[in-house]
Amino acid sequence: MAEPQQNEGRDTRRLIVERAAEQFALWGYAGASISDIAAAVGVSKPALYYHFSDKEEIYTEIVTSVLSQMRARAEAAVAAQPDAPAKLRAFMRVHAQYLHENEHAYIAAQLGFRGLRATEGRGRALELRDRYEAVLKGIIAEGCRSGVFRLTDQRAAVMLVLSALNWMARWYRSDGETPAAEFADRYCNMLLDGFRPRDPPRPARRKRTI
Amino acid sequence: MAEPQQNEGRDTRRLIVERAAEQFALWGYAGASISDIAAAVGVSKPALYYHFSDKEEIYTEIVTSVLSQMRARAEAAVAAQPDAPAKLRAFMRVHAQYLHENEHAYIAAQLGFRGLRATEGRGRALELRDRYEAVLKGIIAEGCRSGVFRLTDQRAAVMLVLSALNWMARWYRSDGETPAAEFADRYCNMLLDGFRPRDPPRPARRKRTI
DNA sequence: TCGACCCTACTTACCGTTCGGTCAACGCCT
DNA sequence: AGGCGTTGACCGAACGGTAAGTAGGGTCGA
């Protein structure tokens, strides 16, 4: 049996991040104690301090891991789509799917650095968040350029999409009957077409020739 | 000068709620300490315990006060509007305006009862929240009934509107140049008409005669 | 004198963090 | 082959600090 010691460490570290995310999601950053996390992992408190320098570093690892994974998935999914509406739908579905698969880590990451000084980790997290949002920004801009979207305020549109996705973490439960991606789909439909009925039965969309 | 003592108490109590909201908004529930709050009010810790039985009761008062005020304002604003789109706009504007005027209390209330047992206060808060959301639900339902809205999932539409409004608390700063109600307006426009352009220059809307 | 209102000083419990030690596995020299 | 120092991974116990909450007393207008 290979190397029980070398890999035990990596495994424990991964487990710490996983269980810490659960505790943070449940009780918030300040509310989740190191003792709780250690107990949830099944190790002693000093074990946490062997793998991480302090509590904040554990939290930072959760946030940065979530954000970078989401960006990677989003970019891959978006690149495979032909036009802006399809890209928007893919973006939203991937985001919702990530929430579904990583509920605790996602919620923990959403708690944000409220009340943490975290100059280093916070900076990296903000950078990653901006990069993620830039993907959506690109989709909106492309849609406006090609004429499939008509928006007076692109930034507001970006915020609206992100609001819908981010707020899902507050009410979505992965054990329900409707999967997260399905909700993302419905959101996308409403965002694309609006609440008001579109009068004609939608003839072939007129392409705007510049 | 009337009754300095009797009313001093009410004043202190109000001030406690106000300053506690600031602290909660800044540091989260667990992160904001009773000592911090007392210091922010300018009194000693026992003064807080004279007016409230414990920390949780202070938080509960913030939440219930915010929710009941929002419902009162929303119902008043909505009642004065002629049709569903106008009502939706009024609802969204009032919600955003409340955030603008009561930033700290609103953010504190949004923190939610994460990690609090609070059987009593939490129940009352959930009830108030449901009543508030019922106002929006009514608007959406009315719009669908009259035909000005065409929605396949009314609940999803309600969630979408609330997501947009609730998430504002995460990025909106009241000292910016664009007021909250303006953002609510832009959101409302996008929600009503969608991202995609509406082909005709919008002729007089066809009323659906049943 | 009474009760509303608030204080100083304190208790108790838990927090994040650290210290010193343990113990198995590995590399290395003889 | 066998002793031996090193390293990775972890533990028990305790640290100083701070948290929520309390005991008991003082003040002052009605």
Side-chain angles (χ1 to χ4, degrees):
Chain A
M1 45 214 79
E3 57 291 86
Q5 201 154 339
Q6 224 87 339
N7 278 15
E8 187 83 47
R10 287 290 122 189
D11 240 35
T12 303
R13 190 186 162 92
R14 211 171 34 78
L15 204 62
I16 290 172
V17 173
E18 185 182 316
R19 298 294 161 85
E22 293 175 19
Q23 297 297 312
F24 286 142
L26 262 174
W27 312 103
Y29 178 80
S33 78
I34 292 283
S35 310
D36 293 342
I37 297 170
V41 177
V43 297
S44 69
K45 279 195 286 179
L48 304 192
Y49 284 88
Y50 176 79
H51 294 281
F52 298 89
S53 71
D54 55 16
K55 190 182 181 183
E56 223 167 273
E57 196 181 271
I58 302 179
Y59 181 68
T60 301
E61 172 128 341
I62 295 172
V63 175
T64 54
S65 137
V66 164
L67 286 174
S68 52
Q69 283 180 44
M70 288 185 71
R71 185 171 81 97
R73 293 201 196 181
E75 281 180 343
V78 164
Q81 303 299 324
D83 56 3
K87 286 181 180 180
L88 179 63
R89 187 174 303 272
F91 181 89
M92 295 184 72
R93 289 182 64 101
V94 163
H95 187 119
Q97 186 62 25
Y98 190 87
L99 162 63
H100 177 81
E101 291 170 13
N102 304 71
E103 203 168 345
H104 298 302
Y106 182 90
I107 291 175
Q110 288 248 349
L111 293 174
F113 287 85
R114 184 186 310 279
L116 304 199
R117 40 239 175 291
T119 49
E120 186 196 351
R122 189 204 205 99
R124 243 175 72 73
L126 285 180
E127 196 187 321
L128 284 167
R129 195 201 57 179
D130 288 346
R131 283 192 173 228
Y132 178 72
E133 296 186 4
V135 177
L136 176 58
K137 224 172 188 167
I139 297 172
I140 298 293
E142 177 189 329
C144 288
R145 235 180 305 120
S146 72
V148 288
F149 296 163
R150 180 173 302 163
L151 298 165
T152 54
D153 185 349
Q154 294 191 23
R155 259 185 37 249
V158 169
M159 297 307 294
L160 181 56
V161 173
L162 287 174
S163 301
L165 295 171
N166 285 330
W167 195 253
M168 277 188 71
R170 289 293 286 258
W171 55 266
Y172 178 73
R173 289 297 85 106
S174 55
D175 50 14
E177 32 184 52
T178 312
E182 169 66 25
F183 282 117
D185 250 6
R186 296 181 193 172
Y187 279 168
C188 190
N189 292 337
M190 287 189 285
L191 288 173
L192 287 176
D193 288 332
F195 289 178
R196 290 205 244 252
R198 298 200 167 240
D199 321 57
R202 193 91 67 73
R205 190 162 310 285
R206 189 176 50 191
K207 193 107 173 243
R208 194 207 263 167
T209 50
I210 311 179
Chain B
M1 47 209 84
E3 58 288 88
Q5 200 152 340
Q6 223 88 339
N7 278 16
E8 187 83 47
R10 287 290 123 190
D11 240 34
T12 304
R13 189 185 164 93
R14 210 171 36 78
L15 204 62
I16 290 172
V17 173
E18 186 182 315
R19 298 295 161 84
E22 293 175 19
Q23 297 296 313
F24 286 143
L26 261 174
W27 312 104
Y29 177 80
S33 78
I34 291 284
S35 310
D36 293 343
I37 297 170
V41 177
V43 297
S44 68
K45 274 196 293 177
L48 304 192
Y49 285 91
Y50 175 77
H51 294 281
F52 298 89
S53 71
D54 55 15
K55 189 181 180 182
E56 225 167 271
E57 195 181 270
I58 301 179
Y59 181 69
T60 301
E61 172 128 339
I62 295 173
V63 175
T64 53
S65 138
V66 164
L67 286 174
S68 51
Q69 283 179 43
M70 288 184 72
R71 185 171 79 97
R73 293 202 195 181
E75 281 180 342
V78 164
Q81 303 299 324
D83 56 3
K87 286 182 181 179
L88 178 64
R89 188 175 302 272
F91 181 89
M92 295 184 72
R93 289 181 64 101
V94 164
H95 187 119
Q97 186 61 25
Y98 190 88
L99 162 64
H100 177 80
E101 291 171 13
N102 305 71
E103 202 168 347
H104 298 302
Y106 182 91
I107 290 175
Q110 289 251 354
L111 293 174
F113 287 85
R114 184 185 311 277
L116 303 199
R117 38 242 174 291
T119 50
E120 186 196 350
R122 190 203 205 98
R124 243 176 71 72
L126 284 180
E127 196 188 321
L128 284 167
R129 194 200 59 179
D130 288 346
R131 283 193 172 227
Y132 178 71
E133 296 186 5
V135 177
L136 175 59
K137 224 174 190 166
I139 297 171
I140 298 293
E142 177 189 328
C144 288
R145 236 181 304 119
S146 72
V148 288
F149 296 164
R150 180 174 301 161
L151 298 165
T152 55
D153 185 349
Q154 294 191 23
R155 258 184 40 248
V158 168
M159 298 307 293
L160 182 55
V161 173
L162 288 173
S163 300
L165 295 171
N166 285 330
W167 195 253
M168 276 188 70
R170 290 292 287 257
W171 55 267
Y172 178 74
R173 289 297 85 105
S174 55
D175 50 13
E177 31 184 54
T178 313
E182 169 66 25
F183 282 117
D185 249 7
R186 296 182 193 172
Y187 278 167
C188 190
N189 292 337
M190 287 188 284
L191 288 172
L192 288 176
D193 289 331
F195 288 177
R196 290 205 244 253
R198 297 195 169 242
D199 319 58
R202 192 93 67 74
R205 191 162 312 283
R206 188 176 50 192
K207 193 112 176 236
R208 193 207 264 167
T209 49
I210 311 180

